Amino acid sequence: MNRTTIRDLGQRLPIGIPSAEGSVLAKNFVLRPYKAQIDRHLSLWREANGEKPIAYLVTQYVAMVLRSIGDKAFTVDKDGTPTDETVFDVTQLFFADVMYIYVWSRINELDSYIWKPIKCPVCGHVTKNAKFDLFDSDVTTVDSVSELEKWVKLRHDLVLRTGHKTRRVKLRPVRWGVMHHEGLGGDRLDTAGYIQLQHSIAGVDALQSTYNVTEAELDEMRKIDLVTLQRESNSVSAGLDMQTHIVCPGRVKSKPCGFEITESLDWTFDSFFGSSFELHPPTEDTETGGTGD
């Protein structure tokens, strides 16, 4: 695995789609432009699905803007709405890749800056409109198929529903569909940690076949092993550092404060593609670009 930034990684996925023979990861992706009809479709979808968590909305959005990953196409109907197959295909992508597509689309369609109010916990200075550049976000990437799984040793026995005991479990990156899990709501990614871990465990050395742990099995795990697996799961899942890092511009006794204020990125749709964006009138030398028609 490598640590990089969005600026350096560019339009390539942190993980990608394994090839049919499972030897290569397709990382190049192409997006459709964010046209006004997408807002219309999302508005209709919200009216019909108002109680569903934000992850479902992100799924719908990504299904409409994602044109392809490698040779795999993600189709939409003539009116621009995603097909059922495309929605399903998005849920089967890795969590890290869906979030990267979501953030890359925001950068490409609006710009890379997040504007937000901050208050320094050290000097108390309040900045009403601080700026964070998404291009500076850290990204952990998977560079080979062999990195998609990792064996982790536990300190205590994990008792399985089969009656077996094990001290080694296999972890794999979680897929976006985990975010559709019943009971998983809200807009904080860290609240998904327990369920993501459950779905990250893909095998145990006590059994040869794929093995998915139940919530009851995970509940019985000792704290030290839970912490170990959560950290290792975050590592193998790769992806974005979903936090903003802003250096406090305040002063303490006439000297710059310089404290780095770190907060969770507000990825809710209306904020991410709306209130966090500061509009500046275009100029003649403004660069133009896009994803095509």
Side-chain angles (χ1 to χ4, degrees):
M1 289 190 175
N2 283 324
R3 191 79 167 175
T4 183
T5 63
I6 293 180
R7 189 184 310 280
D8 292 332
L9 182 59
Q11 199 162 331
R12 287 174 58 81
L13 297 175
I15 301 179
I17 298 179
S19 60
E21 67 278 8
S23 60
V24 180
L25 293 169
K27 290 177 170 284
N28 294 321
F29 66 97
V30 179
L31 300 183
R32 298 182 181 90
Y34 182 173
K35 294 183 178 180
Q37 69 173 2
I38 289 179
D39 279 340
R40 178 169 59 83
H41 292 321
L42 289 179
S43 178
L44 293 172
W45 184 89
R46 288 193 203 198
E47 288 181 10
N49 301 273
E51 299 301 317
K52 289 191 175 181
I54 178 181
Y56 286 85
L57 181 65
V58 173
T59 300
Q60 291 294 316
Y61 176 76
V62 171
M64 283 189 279
V65 299
L66 179 58
R67 187 185 299 275
S68 64
I69 298 177
D71 295 331
K72 180 175 178 56
F74 293 76
T75 59
V76 294
D77 291 331
K78 291 182 179 180
D79 65 350
T81 56
T83 64
D84 291 342
E85 181 181 1
T86 293
V87 171
F88 175 77
D89 286 343
V90 169
T91 67
Q92 297 308 296
L93 296 176
F94 291 116
F95 175 92
D97 291 340
V98 172
M99 288 307 302
Y100 194 85
I101 291 167
Y102 185 68
V103 172
W104 184 263
S105 177
R106 198 303 193 153
I107 291 173
N108 188 70
E109 292 294 339
L110 299 180
D111 65 23
S112 65
Y113 297 112
I114 295 290
W115 298 84
K116 58 182 295 182
I118 58 170
K119 180 177 180 180
C120 180
V122 174
C123 72
H125 180 80
V126 174
T127 306
K128 294 183 178 180
N129 214 15
K131 180 172 69 172
F132 172 71
D133 193 343
L134 287 166
F135 271 130
D136 293 331
S137 298
D138 288 333
V139 189
T140 302
T141 63
V142 170
D143 299 316
S144 68
V145 173
S146 62
E147 294 178 309
L148 290 179
E149 63 180 45
K150 182 177 185 178
W151 284 95
V152 179
K153 186 175 181 179
L154 306 178
R155 297 195 187 188
H156 303 277
D157 288 338
L158 174 61
V159 181
L160 308 177
R161 58 186 179 275
T162 60
H164 296 84
K165 295 180 180 180
T166 187
R167 287 203 180 188
R168 291 181 73 239
V169 300
K170 180 167 62 178
L171 300 178
R172 287 179 178 166
V174 294
R175 298 189 183 275
W176 180 252
V178 172
M179 296 299 289
H180 288 199
H181 192 282
E182 184 178 354
L184 182 59
D187 56 9
R188 291 179 59 86
L189 292 173
D190 51 8
T191 62
Y194 197 84
I195 295 173
Q196 285 180 327
L197 174 60
Q198 180 186 347
H199 288 266
S200 179
I201 297 174
V204 296
D205 68 348
L207 299 171
Q208 294 298 319
S209 59
T210 299
Y211 189 88
N212 300 114
V213 299
T214 64
E215 186 177 90
E217 289 170 314
L218 197 60
D219 282 345
E220 293 299 315
M221 186 175 290
R222 299 285 286 272
K223 178 64 175 180
I224 183 63
D225 290 329
L226 181 65
V227 171
T228 299
L229 287 181
Q230 285 176 329
R231 292 180 180 177
E232 294 294 344
S233 176
N234 289 337
S235 173
V236 75
S237 290
L240 286 163
D241 175 8
M242 296 295 291
Q243 293 183 314
T244 57
H245 302 266
I246 300 173
V247 176
C248 175
R251 302 185 70 83
V252 179
K253 295 181 178 179
S254 74
K255 294 183 180 180
C257 173
F259 180 78
E260 185 177 78
I261 304 168
T262 302
E263 297 181 353
S264 296
L265 177 66
D266 183 355
W267 61 293
T268 54
F269 193 86
D270 293 334
S271 171
F272 201 58
F273 284 92
S275 60
S276 67
F277 169 66
E278 187 171 89
L279 181 64
H280 297 282
T283 59
E284 290 185 0
D285 60 349
T286 297
E287 293 185 5
T288 61
T291 52
D293 295 329

